[in-house]
């Protein structure tokens, strides 16, 4: 009988550690119903009940998991949050791409103007008049 109690105690400890790791590593948007610190305290003070409660009601289920409940199942809904990192924000990425295209276009225009200037200089040096019709329009 003592071995059974030891085994159940170890299972409880492992479950509590897994729940604690899951709670501490969850993103802010994945935690439901209570703030993170409240879940941590519940898991620490009531290891068995707190761990089961965390896995059942405290975290958002993964969308790819079978049997996952749809959002809005009795808990307060959170507003969608803006991306934290700039590289997660599609608007920021679009502005970076637009700025890069604009800079590339300006650089290309300067290169073309420099090339025209050099061609005109070489033609004048060789005695030929500059040819306006041979140049492509940008």
């Amino acid at each position: 009988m003592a071995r059974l109690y030891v085994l159940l105690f170890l299972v409880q400890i492992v479950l509590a550690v897994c729940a604690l790791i899951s709670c501490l590593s969850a993103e802010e948007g994945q935690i439901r119903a209570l703030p993170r610190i409240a879940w941590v305290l519940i898991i620490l003070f009531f290891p068995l009940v707190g761990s089961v409660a965390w896995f059942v009601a405290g975290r958002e289920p993964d969308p790819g998991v079978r049997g996952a409940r749809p959002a809005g199942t009795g808990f307060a809904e959170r507003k969608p949050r803006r991306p934290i990192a700039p590289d997660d924000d599609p608007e920021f990425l679009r502005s970076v791409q637009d700025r890069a295209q604009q800079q590339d276009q300006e650089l290309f225009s300067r290169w073309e103007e420099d090339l025209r200037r050099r061609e005109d200089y070489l033609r004048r040096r060789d005695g030929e008049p500059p040819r306006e019709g041979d140049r492509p329009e940008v």
Side-chain angles (χ1 to χ4, degrees):
M1 193 66 165
R3 290 182 186 175
L4 179 64
Y5 288 140
V6 171
L7 180 65
L8 290 177
F9 177 74
L10 290 177
V11 168
Q12 176 182 342
I13 296 298
V14 168
L15 183 64
V17 168
C18 290
L20 197 57
I21 290 172
S22 174
C23 180
L24 292 175
S25 65
E27 296 289 330
E28 193 65 36
Q30 294 176 326
I31 301 174
R32 296 190 299 183
L34 294 173
R36 182 187 317 260
I37 188 69
W39 280 114
V40 169
L41 292 175
I42 289 171
I43 293 169
L44 288 176
F45 289 130
F46 309 103
L48 184 62
V49 175
S51 301
V52 171
W54 165 253
F55 286 119
V56 171
R59 66 183 178 123
E60 288 284 337
D62 293 333
V65 177
R66 282 184 64 196
R69 294 178 294 170
T73 56
F75 294 101
E77 296 294 324
R78 293 181 182 219
K79 293 189 298 186
R81 300 180 69 175
R82 286 189 51 92
I84 294 174
D87 58 346
D88 293 338
D89 188 1
E91 184 179 318
F92 174 77
L93 294 175
R94 204 173 312 110
S95 71
V96 169
Q97 184 180 13
D98 292 344
R99 192 175 331 130
Q101 285 178 345
Q102 181 182 8
Q103 289 173 348
D104 289 346
Q105 191 65 24
E106 290 172 2
L107 183 62
F108 182 69
S109 298
R110 284 192 305 233
W111 283 349
E112 277 191 333
E113 184 59 37
D114 185 49
L115 181 62
R116 285 184 188 138
R117 216 175 353 101
R118 290 176 186 213
E119 286 177 347
D120 288 344
Y121 171 76
L122 290 174
R123 285 192 181 110
R124 275 182 291 200
R125 190 183 74 177
D126 294 339
E128 290 181 41
R131 290 183 266 173
E132 292 293 324
D134 291 346
R135 296 185 185 153
E137 288 298 319
V138 177

